[in-house]
Amino acid sequence: MKRALFFLLALAVCLSACTSAPESEAGGEVMDATVENAVPAEESASSAAPVAGGAIWGDNCQADSGHAWYTVNPVGDENGVRQVQLLRLDYNTGKQDCLCTIDASPQQVGEPLARDGMVYLVLDQTLYRISEEDGQMETVPLERPVFPMIADGTYGYDYTFDAGANNIQLSRLDLQTGEITLLSMPAQTQGIWAVGEPRLLVCNLATDAPLPSVEQGEQYAAAIQSADCVYSWYDPATGATEKLLEEPYYGVEQEDGSRRHRSFLGMADGRLYFSWVVSKGEGPLDYGMESCDANGQDWQALPDAPVEGEAIWSLQQQGKCRWVLGGRGTEAYWIYDLTTGQYHEMPHVTAIDYWPCQLFQNGKVLLKFDGENGQGELVCGLMDGDAYLAGSTDWTPIEDAATSPEA
């Protein structure tokens, strides 16, 4: 049983964490902007009225309590899920155990949120408030299912894309009372990102007329040709927005007919980071990274990578973007550390070995490995982040200490 739980953690954590880029979770695509396109920030209540709960964390950082990282393990049989185990990885010791087991037979299972000594978890229409210290829990019934993916100190936020309305729906869950509020979003919002600020970065499409539903394939594709992407700060407390920049949906057209567009990577030390690609036809012609300040100004190019390859993956730490990983498929990878401004060549990293899944608050990195020579069983291990960047391969396997508090 312990072995099964260990591999379930590896599969749930590493596969889900390592197969999608930050922008994909929001259902949006960040396109290109040039310095000439940048729009001066507008005065807004978003800078004067911060969210009561403080910085909003996402990208799995919301499950990091400062000493442990939480995941869920649904346990069931051919008839479905019978129990949900809340797994706790103490990343200081490298030991994993089970904080508690919930007998609920849920149909839907959310992701844990860890805040101020408590872990919050939604199963179906019930919010579980669980003590980190002893696993004791209390329940709060909810009026409808809400499964937060980002959180601050007071609220969890669930966002889903409504294809019919062509807009993201953002729901706010009060982690103490269970109250659910449907927040007003800019029309045709396509992307939303938590960047460790008391506000969110959003991207919405500006068009002369409302876009048809994405389900109306050809009509939608024709209408979006002339759409612009508007990037703004969004304050969940007030609904106010502060525009940063506006740009064509398909990127800025170049003299040779190619188009240059950006993808958002994350925010660190007050700057927003983007990868950019110039493409024409099937393949990229050029690529790189650059950043701007929090007002969409002061664009700066980042140094070229030591080996060829586009930026493809980013990792957050304590709600802020820390590492960007790039490379070319099966060729050598590199990592750019946003806090130091340095590249690190990572020739030993592959998609199945030494791939970084999570960066914890104590500086350790969670890595995945092919544990059984490609036979489908993955292994997870820990390594000091600085040693990892320096090229070390001395990793420590996670120890599955117990499957339940009684074990």
Side-chain angles (χ1 to χ4, degrees):
M1 183 64 176
K2 292 182 182 181
R3 180 179 175 83
L5 282 176
F6 181 78
F7 289 124
L8 276 170
L9 172 63
L11 288 168
V13 172
C14 291
L15 285 180
S16 63
C18 296
T19 56
S20 61
E23 59 267 24
S24 65
E25 69 181 18
E29 183 178 8
V30 179
M31 294 302 185
D32 172 70
T34 63
V35 176
E36 290 77 14
N37 286 342
V39 178
E42 301 170 349
E43 290 297 324
S44 164
S46 63
S47 60
V51 176
I56 304 174
W57 289 11
D59 198 30
N60 289 323
C61 292
Q62 73 277 1
D64 186 343
S65 70
H67 59 84
W69 190 53
Y70 291 90
T71 56
V72 291
N73 177 39
V75 179
D77 52 28
E78 65 276 5
N79 297 316
V81 175
R82 295 179 290 103
Q83 298 177 328
V84 174
Q85 295 179 322
L86 181 61
L87 302 182
R88 171 178 55 190
L89 171 61
D90 184 331
Y91 47 70
N92 290 305
T93 65
K95 294 183 178 181
Q96 172 194 276
D97 65 1
C98 178
L99 177 62
C100 65
T101 299
I102 303 173
D103 293 302
S105 299
Q107 298 296 311
Q108 295 177 289
V109 180
E111 295 297 329
L113 310 175
R115 289 292 183 273
D116 300 322
M118 300 293 294
V119 182
Y120 303 90
L121 179 64
V122 176
L123 306 181
D124 290 336
Q125 290 185 222
T126 301
L127 169 64
Y128 289 80
R129 303 177 68 250
I130 305 165
S131 168
E132 272 200 278
E133 182 178 358
D134 55 15
Q136 295 298 309
M137 69 182 75
E138 58 184 37
T139 60
V140 180
L142 304 178
E143 64 185 47
R144 61 182 175 88
V146 171
F147 301 97
M149 294 172 281
I150 59 178
D152 55 36
T154 303
Y155 303 108
Y157 299 88
D158 177 18
Y159 50 92
T160 57
F161 188 74
D162 184 337
N166 198 17
N167 202 356
I168 284 179
Q169 287 193 341
L170 180 64
S171 297
R172 182 179 66 197
L173 170 66
D174 189 309
L175 298 176
Q176 303 305 313
T177 67
E179 180 183 5
I180 300 171
T181 304
L182 184 62
L183 302 182
S184 176
M185 297 291 291
Q188 301 182 152
T189 297
Q190 308 290 298
I192 181 170
W193 298 270
V195 294
E197 295 262 322
R199 52 188 180 175
L200 298 167
L201 182 68
V202 300
C203 173
N204 71 292
L205 300 181
T207 55
D208 294 334
L211 285 170
S213 168
V214 294
E215 297 170 342
Q216 298 176 262
E218 291 185 3
Q219 296 180 32
Y220 180 86
I224 205 172
Q225 294 286 334
S226 59
D228 288 333
C229 293
V230 179
Y231 303 98
S232 308
W233 288 115
Y234 171 81
D235 184 351
T238 65
T241 58
E242 178 183 336
K243 186 164 69 174
L244 298 180
L245 53 97
E246 186 172 343
E247 59 198 18
Y249 178 81
Y250 282 109
V252 176
E253 187 171 357
Q254 310 296 299
E255 292 183 0
D256 62 356
S258 62
R259 289 186 175 271
R260 184 178 188 275
H261 61 86
R262 289 192 179 97
S263 295
F264 181 64
L265 294 171
M267 183 176 185
D269 298 324
R271 298 191 65 82
L272 301 169
Y273 288 84
F274 298 82
S275 63
W276 58 264
V277 174
V278 176
S279 59
K280 185 178 182 180
E282 297 182 357
L285 302 176
D286 198 8
Y287 45 80
M289 293 192 295
E290 54 194 344
S291 70
C292 67
D293 64 22
N295 295 317
Q297 305 292 321
D298 187 31
W299 287 93
Q300 298 178 11
L302 273 63
D304 291 337
V307 294
E308 291 188 358
E310 303 169 51
I312 56 176
W313 175 247
S314 62
L315 281 180
Q316 293 191 15
Q317 182 184 43
Q318 293 183 270
K320 296 286 188 178
C321 191
R322 174 72 187 275
W323 290 354
V324 176
L325 186 146
R328 272 188 177 278
T330 58
E331 298 179 21
Y333 288 103
W334 49 260
I335 290 179
Y336 184 78
D337 190 336
L338 299 181
T339 60
T340 64
Q342 294 182 347
Y343 281 98
H344 301 268
E345 294 189 53
M346 311 295 289
H348 60 291
V349 173
T350 72
I352 58 174
D353 282 319
Y354 292 99
W355 188 272
C357 299
Q358 191 72 23
L359 190 57
F360 298 122
Q361 291 191 45
N362 69 344
K364 289 188 178 180
V365 59
L366 179 69
L367 306 173
K368 79 168 184 178
F369 300 88
D370 178 5
E372 296 293 337
N373 297 318
Q375 300 305 307
E377 290 190 330
L378 299 180
V379 173
C380 285
L382 293 172
M383 188 187 298
D384 177 77
D386 290 338
Y388 176 70
L389 292 180
S392 174
T393 58
D394 186 16
W395 61 281
T396 302
I398 294 172
E399 178 183 346
D400 188 16
T403 59
S404 69
E406 295 76 27

